[in-house]
């Protein structure tokens, strides 16, 4: 046998082997002639030698269509490894940049044509490391100064990785040392190529790469925030591969950086993070240990502003859930076999997450929620927004399993709903709605209501309103009265004067009415109390219209025609609710504002609640009470009395309380007291009295009673500093004189005109005209009574005074005085003629006197 083997070894080569050997020999001879040129002293000589080598290698490439590539590669292997490779590697350190570039090109060409490129790795990898890394890459720049050449060298390394495959394992140290340096290269293209090379290296050496993977994570994370988005994408993708084939310990180092990239302005970067995290959840060997850290990153992309990114995240998550469900089918057997329909009030039953997805979230919720609750309070707005959006997704998956974590979640929502970022508040209200959907009201009310009692806040009310909005009507029905009663508590509905507080309080009522519908009829009084408070405290700041809309909705669900019907039903209880504290009211009392709202909005219902209304007014309008409060109440009462037929006298019963109103309200407040505040109160009282008299609800007899009681106070009011008071007093006296059918006491009657004459000297023309008009009424009344109430001497004095004002500089006053003299001319016409003729020549113009005399001539002769 040994002889046979020896004979075969000594046998001459066959035709193919002979051709291969001949081709290799020919190439060796060609290369031998050119290689000495690489040792030339001149840069030009070395360059020409390299160019000649390039032409020689190109010429040696088989061009025949029937040529065997394997045979050509085998023929090339020997000369390449023996002659060309060592010399080209030395050329990598050539001083001339052009020579180094040609050497890199020839090395790449040789690796592609060689039959066994892995044989070159023992010499190639150290050479590349020498050019790209150097002895201390962290302290010194790489020996290769040209960035284009560094890129070419990294590309050469990538080619070696692809061609060498698992043979790179012994040289992993050199490759990693190179990549650690090039991953931080100033040239962005070098970094991108290095990322691709690192990923290829991980795939090529899966059995050994884990020992070196951690050393690449640091440089990768330093480049993940590079200014070029393409570099960031390449780093993220490379990190995904490096971690997947490397050590699971690196996940913790990488995740914070990935989380930051979810805030990247470039959607491609966010999409890369989404893909890598999704791939880890599907393929990472230790993924079960990192579910609670990876799931939040993937679910965060559900709310990405780019729909494509959000859709890809949803698709990846669905695959993750299905894979986990398949892997744990035995544990989920009962749930799979007896799967029930979605909850009746699920917000999106058609797109409910799969069982695997829901179980994954539920089983990791206890680990995820603390971090989410912490990040919602982060100082960076973007972090708060993302965390709030993620909480919505988690709650949608957790469904009723969130019950066991309800307390910290609600505490977080109450804090976050006070955030200045609208996006945070919007997501948190959505989370609260999901809690209302999946959690029993009995459970969440036990947590929310005590917090509101302890410290009412706009955010706490907003959370309550949101959970009510999400709650099913059937589940909420037994708790409507409890919620309404809590909202009506003074320390809650009057908890703050902040507008945001009022908006949140109103939203609670709107939510109760919208969800419970007819079920809130039994709590309409408590809800009315809250709405009255909102209207009282914030009606003037923009919430008035919203409150009116809510009142209309509440009336509709209570089968009433409108808010007036609501007030008709509840005006009495509302006034009783407020009357309990009226003895302590001041201008700053919320109850005063609530009383004002009830009175001004009750309309015809006021006529039915006079027994409750009048005592409160009588008590609060006493002179010993807060002056500012009295002014406010007089203003309110004036507005009501202007429409008395539709308000306090809607039932025709106001006359029964007239005596109380006059004697206990008007007389005390018309008494003169020193000071501007007292004057303002008298003005308000006079205006209120005028509203009562002009409303038309008083009969002539009632007007007579009012006149007999209040005439002295009104005459005194003619001397007030306030123009409005003087003007209104004139009108009141005129009304007294017009509507009284009885014979006025002569003494009281004669005391009126001197006070009116004084007003003809008033600084206000409007008051002078009103006083003149009242004198006309007085004279007409005197004429009707045939002069029984007045004597000639008094009338003569009146004539003389009026004739003085007939020459007034104001023509309007002259006209008014002329009408007054005409009205009184029938009393003593001859006397008026004599007095007029006596002053005719004293007036600046005799026109008005002549007109008066002409009028007197038309009168019948006096008896």
């Amino acid at each position: 046998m040994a002889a046979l083997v020896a004979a075969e070894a000594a046998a001459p080569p066959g035709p193919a082997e002979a051709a291969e050997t001949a081709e290799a020999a020919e190439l060796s001879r060609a290369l031998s002639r050119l290689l000495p040129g690489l040792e030339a002293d001149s840069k030009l000589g070395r360059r020409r030698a390299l160019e000649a080598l390039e032409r020689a290698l190109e010429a040696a490439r088989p061009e025949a269509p029937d040529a065997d590539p394997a045979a050509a590669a085998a023929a090339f292997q020997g000369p390449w490894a023996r002659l060309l490779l060592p010399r080209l590697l030395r050329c990598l350190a050539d001083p001339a940049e052009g020579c180094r570039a040609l050497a890199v090109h020839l090395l790449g060409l040789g690796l592609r044509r060689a039959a066994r490129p892995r044989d070159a790795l023992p010499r190639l990898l150290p050479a590349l490391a020498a050019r790209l890394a150097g002895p201390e890459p962290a302290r010194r720049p790489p020996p290769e100064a040209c960035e284009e050449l560094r890129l070419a060298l990294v590309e050469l390394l990538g080619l070696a990785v692809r061609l060498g495959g698992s043979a790179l394992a012994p040289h992993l140290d050199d490759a990693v040392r190179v990549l650690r340096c090039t991953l931080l290269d100033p040239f962005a293209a070098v970094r991108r190529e290095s990322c691709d090379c690192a990923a290829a290296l991980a795939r090529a050496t899966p059995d050994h790469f884990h020992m070196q993977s951690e050393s690449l994570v640091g440089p990768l994370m330093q480049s993940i925030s590079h200014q070029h988005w393409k570099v960031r994408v390449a780093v993220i993708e490379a990190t995904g591969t490096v971690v997947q084939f490397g050590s699971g310990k690196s996940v913790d180092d990488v995740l914070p950086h990935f989380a930051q990239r979810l805030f990247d302005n470039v959607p491609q970067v966010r999409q890369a993070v989404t893909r890598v995290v999704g791939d880890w959840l599907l393929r990472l060997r230790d993924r079960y240990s990192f579910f609670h850290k990876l799931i939040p990153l993937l679910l965060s992309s559900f709310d990405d502003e780019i729909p494509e990114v959000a859709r890809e995240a949803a698709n990846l998550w669905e695959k993750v859930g299905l894979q986990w469900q398949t892997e744990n089918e035995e544990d989920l057997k009962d749930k799979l076999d007896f799967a029930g329909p979605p909850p009746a009030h699920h917000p999106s039953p058609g797109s409910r997450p799969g069982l695997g997805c829901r179980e994954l979230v539920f089983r990791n919720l206890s680990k995820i929620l603390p971090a989410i609750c912490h990040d919602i309070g982060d100082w960076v707005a973007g972090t708060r927004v993302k965390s709030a959006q993620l909480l919505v997704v988690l709650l949608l998956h957790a469904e009723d399993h969130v019950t066991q974590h309800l307390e910290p979640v609600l505490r977080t929502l109450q804090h976050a709903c006070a955030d200045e970022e609208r996006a945070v508040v919007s997501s948190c209200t959505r989370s609260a709605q999901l809690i209302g959907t999946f959690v029993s009201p009995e459970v969440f009310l036990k947590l929310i209501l005590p917090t509101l009692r302890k410290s009412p806040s706009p955010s706490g009310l907003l959370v309550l309103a949101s959970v009510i909005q999400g709650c099913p009507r059937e589940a909420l029905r037994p708790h409507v009265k409890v919620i309404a009663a809590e909202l009506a508590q003074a320390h809650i509905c009057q908890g703050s004067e902040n507008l945001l507080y009022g908006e949140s309080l109103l939203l609670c009522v709107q939510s109760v009415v919208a969800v419970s519908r007819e079920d809130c009829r039994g709590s309409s009084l408590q809800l009315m109390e809250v709405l009255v408070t909102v209207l009282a405290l914030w009606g003037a700041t923009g919430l008035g219209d919203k409150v009116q809309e809510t009142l209309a909705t509440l009336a509709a669900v209570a089968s009433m025609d409108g808010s007036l019907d609501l007030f008709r039903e509840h005006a009495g209880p509302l006034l009783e609710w407020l009357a309990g504290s009226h003895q302590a009211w001041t201008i700053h009392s919320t109850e005063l504002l609530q009383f004002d709202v009830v009175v001004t909005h009750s309309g015809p219902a006021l006529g039915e609640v006079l027994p409750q209304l009048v005592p409160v007014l009588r008590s609060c309008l006493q002179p010993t009470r807060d002056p500012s409060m009295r002014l406010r109440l007089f203003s309110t009462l004036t507005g009501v009395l202007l429409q008395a037929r539709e308000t306090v006298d809607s039932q025709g019963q106001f006359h029964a309380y007239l005596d109380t109103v006059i004697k206990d309200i008007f007389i005390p407040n018309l008494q003169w007291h020193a000071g501007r505040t007292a004057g303002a109160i008298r003005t308000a009282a006079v205006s209120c009295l005028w509203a009562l008299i002009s409303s038309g609800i008083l009969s002539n007899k009632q007007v007579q009673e009012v006149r007999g009681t209040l005439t002295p106070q009104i005459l005194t009011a003619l001397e007030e500093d306030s123009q409005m008071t003087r003007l209104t007093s004139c009108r009141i006296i005129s009304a007294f004189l017009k509507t009284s059918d009885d014979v006025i006491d002569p003494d009281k009657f004669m005391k009126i005109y001197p006070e009116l004459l004084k007003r003809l000297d008033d600084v206000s023309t409007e008051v002078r005209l009103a006083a003149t008009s009242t004198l006309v009424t007085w004279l007409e009344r005197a004429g009707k009574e045939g002069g029984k109430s007045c004597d000639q001497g008094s009338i003569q004095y009146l004539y003389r005074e009026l004739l003085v004002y007939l020459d007034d500089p104001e023509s309007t006053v002259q006209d008014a005085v002329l009408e007054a003299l005409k009205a009184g001319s029938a009393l003593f016409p001859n006397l008026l003629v004599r007095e007029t003729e006596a002053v005719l020549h004293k007036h600046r113009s005799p026109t008005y006197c002549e007109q008066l005399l002409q009028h007197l001539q038309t009168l019948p002769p006096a008896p």
Side-chain angles (χ1 to χ4, degrees), residues 158-412:
L159 177 62
V161 170
R162 290 193 299 273
L163 296 177
S166 59
L168 275 165
H171 314 288
L172 204 55
D173 287 347
D174 286 333
V176 169
R177 188 156 64 93
V178 169
L179 292 175
R180 288 187 61 196
C181 182
T182 56
L183 283 170
L184 301 175
D185 196 277
F187 189 27
V190 173
R191 294 200 189 200
R192 291 204 307 270
E193 187 63 31
S194 299
C195 290
D196 295 341
C197 187
L201 183 63
R203 287 189 290 266
T205 57
D207 296 332
H208 302 84
F209 184 75
H210 64 91
M211 295 183 291
Q212 295 283 351
S213 62
E214 292 184 39
S215 60
L216 289 179
V217 171
L220 284 169
M221 293 305 97
Q222 292 181 57
S223 295
I224 201 170
S225 58
H226 194 272
Q227 61 181 351
H228 292 181
W229 69 266
K230 291 184 179 180
V231 174
R232 300 199 295 273
V233 169
V235 169
I236 292 168
E237 292 173 347
T239 302
T241 306
V242 167
V243 172
Q244 185 167 338
F245 287 93
S247 171
K249 300 177 183 177
S250 304
V251 175
D252 291 332
D253 300 328
V254 169
L255 289 183
H257 298 277
F258 272 26
Q260 287 299 317
R261 288 307 100 206
L262 288 176
F263 298 96
D264 202 289
N265 294 325
V266 180
Q268 289 89 337
V269 177
R270 302 195 301 272
Q271 189 172 30
V273 174
T274 302
R275 287 174 178 169
V276 169
V277 172
D279 192 61
W280 283 352
L281 284 168
L282 289 169
R283 297 180 178 85
L284 193 66
R285 281 174 295 194
D286 298 333
R287 59 184 180 276
Y288 275 61
S289 303
F290 298 104
F291 270 153
H292 65 286
K293 298 181 179 180
L294 296 175
I295 288 174
L297 292 182
L298 183 59
L299 296 186
S300 294
S301 296
F302 274 38
D303 291 290
D304 195 276
E305 60 186 13
I306 304 299
E308 182 181 351
V309 178
R311 283 195 300 269
E312 184 163 1
N315 292 335
L316 284 169
W317 177 238
E318 184 178 0
K319 292 177 182 178
V320 170
L322 289 173
Q323 177 178 299
W324 186 88
Q325 180 177 319
T326 302
E327 294 171 349
N328 297 270
E329 193 168 356
E330 288 298 323
D331 293 344
L332 303 175
K333 184 173 179 58
D334 291 342
K335 294 183 179 180
L336 289 171
D337 293 342
F338 304 101
H345 298 279
H346 195 282
S348 54
S351 57
R352 185 190 186 194
L355 176 62
C357 296
R358 300 199 307 274
E359 283 292 319
L360 267 176
V361 169
F362 163 58
R363 297 190 181 198
N364 292 278
L365 194 60
S366 61
K367 299 177 182 177
I368 298 174
L369 270 181
I372 298 297
C373 294
H374 176 269
D375 286 348
I376 286 182
D378 194 85
W379 67 277
V380 179
T383 303
R384 300 198 303 273
V385 171
K386 276 287 185 184
S387 300
Q389 292 172 343
L390 177 57
L391 182 59
V392 176
V393 180
L394 291 174
L395 295 179
L396 191 61
H397 282 76
E399 297 183 354
D400 58 341
H401 293 299
V402 74
T403 304
Q404 57 187 297
H405 308 286
L406 195 57
E407 185 175 359
V409 171
L410 285 175
R411 186 168 56 248
T412 299

Side-chain angles (χ1 to χ4, degrees), residues 440-462:
S440 168
E442 185 176 359
V443 177
F444 64 68
L445 288 177
K446 286 182 180 179
L447 297 173
I448 295 177
L449 294 183
T451 304
L452 277 178
R453 294 190 201 106
K454 184 178 179 181
S455 57
S457 64
S459 58
L461 290 171
L462 184 56

Side-chain angles (χ1 to χ4, degrees), residues 15 73 128 178 323 326 402 465 514 595 619 746 761 800-801 858 861:
L128 291 177
V178 169
Q323 177 178 299
T326 302
V402 74
F595 179 79
S619 173
D761 286 326
R800 288 177 178 176
E801 291 298 318
T858 62

Side-chain angles (χ1 to χ4, degrees), residues 815-847:
D815 293 336
V817 170
L818 178 61
E819 293 301 319
L821 288 168
K822 288 180 180 180
S825 61
L827 292 175
F828 300 100
N830 295 331
L831 177 61
L832 182 57
V833 169
R834 290 195 300 271
E835 293 295 333
T836 304
E837 290 175 347
V839 299
L840 177 65
H841 66 282
K842 297 179 182 181
H843 284 201
R844 293 171 299 168
S845 171
T847 304

